[in-house]
């Protein structure tokens, strides 16, 4: 299948997340070959595409993300850039953070911190929601009280 769409960088920038679904709809296919930032790009959709993408025999993450994107969106050394054992180890740390029990404890801590924050608001005082949210979220994470060093980053446990 040959790329008939030309470089899609500008369209991606303008449409964001809606870009690839729109491109796929216009072609009538779950597989689209195109170019982004001058590089050959393959857009896939569906369960088989997800299986293909997560099979390490088919995808290499290291050097797959252009440096400008990596620097601004993910950061160097992010899990998105790791392969093989390094990727599996880092991914396991993140997955441990999203178990139902782990999420429930974080939600409880942050909800309690929000309650404490709102109680301090007075009717005669203006509230800057961004600042208050920053304080409440930080206080909620602090309530967890258990932060441990893992590899090169910090993980809440």
């Amino acid at each position: 299948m040959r790329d008939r769409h030309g470089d899609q960088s500008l369209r991606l920038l303008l449409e964001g997340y809606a870009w690839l679904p729109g491109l796929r709809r216009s072609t009538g296919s779950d597989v689209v070959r195109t170019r982004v930032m001058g590089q050959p790009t393959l857009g896939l959709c569906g369960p088989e595409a997800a299986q293909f993408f997560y099979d390490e025999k088919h995808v290499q993450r290291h050097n797959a993300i252009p440096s400008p994107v990596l620097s601004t969106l993910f950061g160097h050394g992010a899990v998105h850039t790791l392969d093989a054992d390094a990727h599996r180890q880092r991914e396991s740390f993140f997955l441990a953070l999203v178990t139902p029990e782990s999420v429930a404890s974080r939600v409880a801590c942050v909800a309690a911190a929000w309650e404490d924050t709102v109680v301090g608001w007075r009717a005669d005082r203006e509230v800057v929601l961004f600042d208050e949210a920053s304080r409440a979220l930080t206080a909620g994470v602090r309530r967890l009280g258990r932060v441990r060093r893992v590899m090169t980053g910090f993980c809440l446990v």
Side-chain angles (χ1 to χ4, degrees):
M1 180 190 313
R2 190 171 175 280
D3 165 23
R4 302 183 324 263
H5 312 288
D7 191 281
Q8 294 285 305
S9 301
L10 181 58
R11 194 167 159 204
L12 170 59
L13 183 63
L14 293 172
E15 297 177 22
Y17 287 115
W19 161 75
L20 185 56
L23 184 60
R24 285 193 349 266
R25 275 191 300 277
S26 72
T27 64
S29 175
D30 283 344
V31 179
V32 178
R33 288 183 186 270
T34 189
R35 295 182 90 65
V36 174
M37 295 179 68
Q39 298 297 310
T41 303
L42 183 65
L44 306 171
C45 178
E48 295 86 6
Q51 285 178 322
F52 177 86
F53 181 78
Y54 285 103
D55 186 334
E56 294 178 353
K57 293 180 287 196
H58 300 132
V59 176
Q60 180 182 1
R61 292 174 187 88
H62 184 73
N63 291 330
I65 301 172
S67 187
V69 174
L70 183 61
S71 295
T72 58
L73 190 56
F74 300 114
H76 296 270
V79 69
H80 309 79
T81 65
L82 302 174
D83 290 307
D85 286 339
H87 178 82
R88 285 188 295 276
Q89 286 177 347
R90 182 79 62 85
E91 183 181 50
S92 73
F93 291 128
F94 288 111
L95 292 176
L97 296 174
V98 293
T99 64
E101 300 80 22
S102 181
V103 170
S105 75
R106 284 171 182 73
V107 168
C109 288
V110 171
W114 265 111
E115 291 287 333
D116 291 348
T117 299
V118 171
V119 166
W121 292 352
R122 295 188 344 236
D124 63 338
R125 186 184 81 130
E126 182 178 284
V127 171
V128 178
L129 190 56
F130 180 82
D131 295 343
E132 296 294 323
S134 297
R135 288 185 196 99
L137 293 172
T138 300
V141 170
R142 282 189 188 144
R143 283 175 191 236
L144 291 168
R146 299 166 293 159
V147 178
R148 66 179 167 109
R149 181 96 165 118
V150 178
M151 293 180 65
T152 60
F154 285 95
C155 287
L156 300 172
V157 293

